[in-house]
Amino acid sequence: MGNTSRREELDRVRRELDRLHARARERGVNPIVYWIARALVQPFFHLYFRLSRIGRENIPQAGPVIFASNHRSFLDPFIIGVLSRRPIYYVAKSEIFKNPLVAWFVSSLGAFPVRRGAGDPDMLATAKAILERGDCLLIFPEGTRTRPGSLGRPKRGVGRLALETGAPVVPVALIGTEAVRNGWRIRPKKVRARIGRPLTFPKVDDASPQLAAAVTDRIWPNVMLQWEWLGGLPPLRRAAVIGAGEWAASVAGALRRAKIEVDRIEGGPAELSRHDLVCFAGPAAELPAAVADHAPAIAPRTGVLVAARGAMPDGALPTAYVAERVNAWAIGALAGDEQLERGAGVVLATDDAAFARQVGAALGAAGLDVIKTPLADLQLATRSEPGRFAATEKKAKAGAGRAA
């Protein structure tokens, strides 16, 4: 009896999703609902969020268009919707459509469902139908909301759509939308959008995964360009590892595996203004001299990672010592095994969520098992055994660290 009810519910959900796809393909937006909603929200966005729209002249005025944007907030589709004078259709997770009233409203504004976690041929067919009739489509290549920190990794679906439809791709970046929501309260934060020039690709009948990925890799850097122009946090491209010995070499090797350009610095002052990350990875006893040599050259936009091992001469905490003397946007600490080979465990401690995500993603790409924790937890652990973080302590912190 239970299995029958479950099948009936799944069939009902499937029929509803099919109906929503058919509406997006055949009827499109509800013009009355769409234009009334737009007439209300556009002035609100300009006044309440002080919305600025840079580069609107780059949006084609006719024909199919794919908008490829970063995704930080539930507001993003609505913000992008007022960038163009034409309706913009967009993909939304199928869970949004469970409530019939919400489903009617968002589908009237151009939303259609996607089943996340697996390939969805219905979503792809609907997207193609929208583009083939000459309308605009919004895609979030990251696949889900990504916050905080730098942009996430794109999926190849946008590249496949661009190839199989021949539609130009307009890169868009939004900044500020992640800060507008505090629980149910919508705060008046500044929101900016920047639109890049459209990208065109040759049309193919059946794009291979490799070709779709290659085209996505051409599209996404253009979104990142708009994002960084707006002041968004860039990915880690270049790092400096300051320190001598096996531990510093191990840290540098891990960062290189993450495809980061790494400069090893073992001597006196060096040029650090172009580095996204500076890591102090020598013995803690040598940290004061290293900070004195290099702190003036560290740019405020640079993050600093303290991986000093051993005890400071005066018993001070390495991260506290560095934070008092270095003008960096974020400070973190790194502890782990002497050899950071693939599969090795490390603890990344920081109180800045964006820095945790940025550095954690790089260490994960290097094949390390990363545990994130507040800075105070690592400092307390290392007081008993400076420079190390015992395996039992790693396991105890694993749940809280991953949640962070």
Side-chain angles (χ1 to χ4, degrees), residues 94-292:
S94 58
E95 293 82 356
I96 289 177
F97 297 90
K98 288 182 178 180
N99 184 300
L101 182 60
V102 173
W104 172 81
F105 180 67
V106 297
S107 63
S108 296
L109 299 180
F112 59 96
V114 61
R115 295 189 301 275
R116 299 189 296 176
D120 189 346
D122 291 332
M123 182 277 292
L124 190 61
T126 301
K128 287 183 177 180
I130 290 168
L131 293 169
E132 285 170 0
R133 69 173 182 241
D135 282 330
C136 303
L137 176 71
L138 168 61
I139 292 288
F140 297 115
E142 292 162 298
T144 187
R145 284 178 290 190
T146 302
R147 59 186 185 192
S150 50
L151 301 187
R153 295 180 179 272
K155 295 177 170 48
R156 60 174 180 256
V158 64
R160 181 179 176 185
L161 267 179
L163 287 167
E164 294 184 356
T165 64
V169 180
V170 174
V172 179
L174 300 176
I175 196 165
T177 57
E178 71 278 4
V180 303
R181 183 176 174 182
N182 182 15
W184 291 101
R185 180 169 172 253
I186 304 300
R187 300 181 292 186
K189 298 292 184 177
K190 173 71 175 175
V191 173
R192 293 186 294 159
R194 192 170 195 259
I195 305 105
R197 293 181 179 179
L199 308 169
T200 56
F201 302 93
K203 186 176 180 179
V204 300
D205 292 332
D206 187 14
S208 67
Q210 295 78 13
L211 185 58
V215 170
T216 300
D217 289 342
R218 288 278 292 113
I219 294 169
W220 195 241
N222 286 273
V223 177
M224 293 173 66
L225 180 66
Q226 316 309 319
W227 165 255
E228 292 177 36
W229 190 95
L230 291 170
L233 184 65
L236 294 178
R237 297 189 180 98
R238 188 175 183 184
V241 176
I242 300 172
E246 189 175 356
W247 171 240
S250 186
V251 172
L255 294 175
R256 288 192 182 105
R257 289 202 306 272
K259 303 187 185 308
I260 297 171
E261 181 183 349
V262 178
D263 296 321
R264 284 288 309 279
I265 301 172
E266 300 183 33
E271 172 58 46
L272 300 173
S273 62
R274 295 177 54 223
H275 293 81
D276 304 305
L277 177 71
V278 171
C279 180
F280 290 98
E286 299 175 5
L287 185 61
V291 170

Side-chain angles (χ1 to χ4, degrees), residues 281-335:
E286 299 175 5
L287 185 61
V291 170
D293 283 343
H294 299 289
I298 297 175
R301 65 168 185 80
T302 303
V304 172
L305 193 61
V306 182
R309 299 175 78 84
M312 294 278 291
D314 59 356
L317 290 170
T319 48
Y321 182 90
V322 173
E324 290 175 358
R325 293 162 176 83
V326 174
N327 183 22
W329 76 270
I331 297 282
L334 183 71

